[in-house]
Amino acid sequence: MTSIKNINAAFTRVQNTFLPGYTPRTNLLGYDFDQNAPGWGFLFGSQRDIRARAASNGWITTDTLQTQLYMTSLTEDFSIRAMLEPLRDLTIELTAVKLNNQNYSTSFQYSGQSGDFESLTPVTTGNYSISYVTIGTSFKNHDALFRTFERFRRPISRRLGQLNPNSSGENDGFADGYGRTAQDVVVNAFLAAYRGKDAADIKLDGFPKIPFPNWNVTYNGLSKIPLFTELITSLTLHHGYNTRYSVNGYNSLIRYGETNGFPSERDVNENFLPKFQFQQISIFEQFTPLLGFDARFKNNVTANAEYRRARTLNLSLQNSQLAMLSDQSFVFGAGYRATGFRMPFGWFNNFKMNNDLNFRLDVSLNDLKTLVYRSDINQSEVSAGNKSISYRPSVDYVINQRFNIRLFFDSNSVRPYTSQTFATSYANFGFNLRLMLQ
């Protein structure tokens, strides 16, 4: 318990209501005392639906030309952060977040035929995002994972069929109403496969409720080990992990219906219609970095290196096509500060620099690739990406308080994975002279 240094949690809920056609006047604080409208609850932020009350009290115009939509919106933002120090010089930062954004709209207007107000074409749209953990499959073969995703569709379908009393029988191993392209089947099979869970254990919910914590780990105790003390002033190790699961756009279906509390209406493929139709779901996973270090030596040399990995999985619910963006990079940097620098090989023997001369070298290697997987097709396809390498040496010298000179060289080479773009290489070199006027 004493390793917990601090915890910060925040929950924000924002709701809005827009009621068109409102006719009462405003006397004080937005209230009409003659018609007792719109109610003190509404004025003080209550989001209770007051359409029925407003219509019965004559607060809404009966003009049939009023076509503005009745709208409500809901935004929920939850975050929690904790700082742990289980060991001396070891710091762990945990972060969990959840964001839900939902909008509802309907045409609420007077009908001359029925003599009453009607709500027509109600639509709910939104986006959803939550911190997630998929580290169990981070280093597995991507082709094998997609095959696992396809294989999980059958057991997920049978589980859904057992829960829904409106489903009867099976066809080719899939439960009635939950075929291979049914949204609930595809989404839950995708989450089970890429989270590394068994299809029999994962919760059947496209909106996970509990956010999983992500982490950042820092350790700077190695410099205190006697083996490193004589060489290193400071040495810090870094590791970070960050994952988000997102539903990128969902909307309600007018034809959706339930019987006995479960979906009963079907689409053209005889699959049960979901309550909310997803356009796309995605998993973004990033190691920031997988492993990295920053070191400062006693001989004025500094060095840093990082190995980073990231993948973005975008699954389209229109055709069960998966696009995976894989990004791997290695970054290395080294620097040296020379005090009282003299030119090598005896050049300019009589010339001595009084200020520090700073040398810097940065090298990076990057492998960026986009793979496309199509349902029931064994071979993936590379649609974009490239390999690149760059290195940037530079020399920086402060002549005095007003003058600074910098020599630099930048080089970058890119080799694409596809024939849609050309291999490129470029180099820049030169010097900068900076004059500071006071």
Side-chain angles (χ1 to χ4, degrees):
M1 294 296 294
T2 59
S3 68
I4 302 176
K5 299 308 176 184
N6 63 69
I7 297 178
N8 296 315
F11 177 70
T12 303
R13 182 185 178 98
V14 179
Q15 290 182 274
N16 297 290
T17 297
F18 176 70
L19 180 63
Y22 179 77
T23 58
R25 299 180 178 182
T26 295
N27 301 131
L28 182 66
L29 300 176
Y31 206 81
D32 188 329
F33 292 94
D34 295 331
Q35 299 192 47
N36 196 27
W40 291 108
F42 185 87
L43 289 183
F44 283 97
S46 171
Q47 297 300 309
R48 183 179 179 181
D49 191 345
I50 65 169
R51 284 179 293 172
R53 180 185 176 189
S56 62
N57 291 336
W59 298 347
I60 307 298
T61 179
T62 57
D63 189 344
T64 57
L65 298 180
Q66 196 292 113
T67 58
Q68 286 184 291
L69 298 177
Y70 167 80
M71 294 182 293
T72 64
S73 66
L74 167 65
T75 300
E76 293 180 325
D77 189 353
F78 170 78
S79 64
I80 182 169
R81 291 174 173 82
M83 185 72 70
L84 311 179
E85 192 174 337
L87 300 173
R88 186 184 297 273
D89 302 317
L90 175 62
T91 303
I92 302 174
E93 182 181 359
L94 301 177
T95 305
V97 297
K98 178 181 176 182
L99 178 63
N100 181 33
N101 185 10
Q102 193 172 90
N103 300 285
Y104 171 83
S105 63
T106 183
S107 175
F108 183 67
Q109 60 186 102
Y110 183 79
S111 172
Q113 296 180 348
S114 64
D116 199 0
F117 286 88
E118 296 179 346
S119 294
L120 305 175
T121 61
V123 176
T124 299
T125 61
N127 297 282
Y128 188 82
S129 177
I130 190 170
S131 56
Y132 212 57
V133 171
T134 56
I135 195 172
T137 61
S138 299
F139 303 95
K140 291 187 176 181
N141 181 273
H142 300 308
D143 292 342
L145 280 175
F146 188 76
R147 302 285 87 78
T148 300
F149 155 58
E150 292 189 307
R151 188 176 68 253
F152 277 1
R153 290 180 298 177
R154 281 186 171 84
I156 292 292
S157 172
R158 289 193 288 267
R159 286 183 61 191
L160 291 168
Q162 292 172 359
L163 294 173
N164 190 344
N166 303 312
S167 174
S168 60
E170 292 185 5
N171 182 18
D172 192 25
F174 290 89
D176 172 49
Y178 294 103
R180 67 181 68 245
T181 60
Q183 176 178 292
D184 291 341
V185 173
V186 173
V187 170
N188 289 288
F190 174 77
L191 294 178
Y194 284 91
R195 197 184 158 197
K197 301 283 287 187
D198 191 272
D201 298 331
I202 193 168
K203 292 184 178 180
L204 303 177
D205 187 3
F207 295 101
K209 301 297 187 300
I210 301 176
F212 290 90
N214 299 156
W215 58 84
N216 278 295
V217 182
T218 303
Y219 181 65
N220 55 14
L222 291 178
S223 59
K224 300 178 182 179
I225 298 177
L227 179 63
F228 299 101
T229 303
E230 297 181 358
L231 300 175
I232 297 175
T233 303
S234 65
L235 176 60
T236 303
L237 301 181
H238 304 281
H239 166 70
Y241 180 78
N242 180 41
T243 300
R244 294 289 184 275
Y245 164 69
S246 303
V247 180
N248 304 320
Y250 64 85
N251 59 272
S252 59
L253 297 175
I254 297 178
R255 290 185 52 226
Y256 175 77
E258 293 184 354
T259 303
N260 300 321
F262 290 88
S264 57
E265 294 296 322
R266 302 178 183 246
D267 60 16
V268 294
N269 296 319
E270 292 301 315
N271 292 321
F272 290 118
L273 291 172
K275 183 176 182 178
F276 293 110
Q277 185 176 54
F278 297 171
Q279 303 300 321
Q280 178 180 276
I281 60 175
S282 64
I283 293 176
F284 170 73
E285 180 187 63
Q286 185 179 33
F287 291 92
T288 55
L290 179 63
L291 183 62
F293 74 87
D294 292 303
R296 180 178 296 275
F297 297 86
K298 291 188 175 181
N299 59 356
N300 293 330
V301 173
T302 60
N304 65 279
E306 288 186 350
Y307 175 58
R308 305 170 183 169
R309 287 176 65 98
R311 62 173 175 171
T312 303
L313 305 164
N314 294 315
L315 178 65
S316 171
L317 274 301
Q318 307 301 318
N319 52 16
S320 297
Q321 178 175 295
L322 174 66
M324 188 194 74
L325 174 62
S326 174
D327 187 1
Q328 300 184 63
S329 61
F330 174 77
V331 179
F332 172 78
Y336 176 68
R337 185 180 75 252
T339 304
F341 179 76
R342 289 183 180 273
M343 291 292 182
F345 310 115
W347 296 346
F348 304 101
N349 286 330
N350 297 326
F351 180 72
K352 180 180 179 180
M353 295 182 176
N354 296 321
N355 297 324
D356 294 343
L357 187 69
N358 296 304
F359 298 89
R360 183 70 191 176
L361 173 63
D362 293 301
V363 180
S364 64
L365 297 90
N366 186 260
D367 187 354
L368 186 67
K369 182 188 298 184
T370 299
L371 296 174
V372 176
Y373 295 89
R374 293 179 173 85
S375 182
D376 302 316
I377 298 179
N378 293 329
Q379 190 66 34
S380 61
E381 177 185 347
V382 179
S383 63
N386 59 72
K387 289 183 177 181
S388 64
I389 179 173
S390 64
Y391 53 95
R392 299 180 175 88
S394 64
V395 180
D396 190 8
Y397 180 68
V398 178
I399 300 175
N400 54 41
Q401 294 182 350
R402 294 188 177 183
F403 291 94
N404 176 279
I405 188 170
R406 178 175 178 268
L407 305 178
F408 67 90
F409 179 83
D410 294 345
S411 175
N412 186 56
S413 299
V414 179
R415 174 180 289 184
Y417 276 110
T418 66
S419 59
Q420 298 176 356
T421 57
F422 298 100
T424 59
S425 178
Y426 70 84
N428 298 323
F429 64 93
F431 70 92
N432 295 330
L433 180 63
R434 180 178 298 175
L435 171 64
M436 299 180 63
L437 301 177
Q438 297 179 354

